[in-house]
Amino acid sequence: EIAHLLKENQDVQDLRLSQNSVGDEGTAELASALEINNTLRGLSLHWNRVGSDGFIAMATSLVMCNRTLLFLNLLTNPLFTTTNDETRRNLLHTLGKLISEPTDLLYLSLYGTGLGDEECCVIGKALKSFQCSLC
């Protein structure tokens, strides 16, 4: 299992799992591994059926624990397609935190994830409130 190996391996810096049906459960496992791993710099999960639960797990891990991931590609995953109101509120809150909280993340690809007006407003507000520690 890749997430288990990632917890133990401190050599891998780039992991590309595109088009592997990782899904929410696998993404949550990878997020858990990132709480321990401090060498991974890039993670590509495009075309993996990652939904809102997987995104929330990954974003929470990045905000709370991981300070080394620089590149996260979530291209073409149904992240923002949920119709459940509670999940949607949690998703928007988590998206805002990921953008506004200090992390080392430099690149976040959300193309083809179902971003709509509401998500774009959250991103805009988060970017406005972001405080650069170097400024």
Side-chain angles (χ1 to χ4, degrees):
E1 180 170 289
I2 294 174
H4 177 71
L5 294 173
L6 195 56
K7 287 180 181 180
E8 295 176 0
N9 187 310
Q10 296 297 309
D11 295 322
V12 175
Q13 292 187 15
D14 187 35
L15 184 59
R16 298 174 189 214
L17 297 173
S18 301
Q19 300 180 354
N20 278 292
S21 300
V22 172
D24 284 337
E25 186 177 327
T27 303
E29 289 176 20
L30 287 168
S32 176
L34 287 178
E35 293 176 8
I36 296 167
N37 182 289
N38 61 5
T39 59
L40 194 68
R41 301 291 184 256
L43 178 59
S44 183
L45 294 172
H46 88 278
W47 282 101
N48 268 294
R49 299 184 189 148
V50 178
S52 54
D53 291 339
F55 176 79
I56 290 168
M58 181 62 67
T60 300
S61 174
L62 293 175
V63 170
M64 301 300 289
C65 302
N66 184 281
R67 294 291 182 253
T68 59
L69 196 71
L70 303 173
F71 174 95
L72 179 59
N73 181 358
L74 293 169
L75 173 81
T76 321
N77 282 292
L79 306 179
F80 303 102
T81 59
T82 183
T83 56
N84 180 291
D85 288 340
E86 183 178 342
T87 301
R88 188 150 188 78
R89 280 190 299 274
N90 193 11
L91 184 60
L92 292 171
H93 174 76
T94 305
L95 175 62
K97 285 187 75 70
L98 179 61
I99 302 294
S100 65
E101 296 288 321
T103 68
D104 284 350
L105 197 62
L106 299 175
Y107 177 90
L108 175 63
S109 177
L110 297 174
Y111 176 81
T113 59
L115 281 174
D117 292 343
E118 200 171 10
E119 292 83 10
C120 290
C121 286
V122 167
I123 291 171
K125 287 178 185 176
L127 288 172
K128 281 175 123 175
S129 69
F130 180 72
Q131 297 296 316
C132 177
S133 62
L134 300 176
C135 300

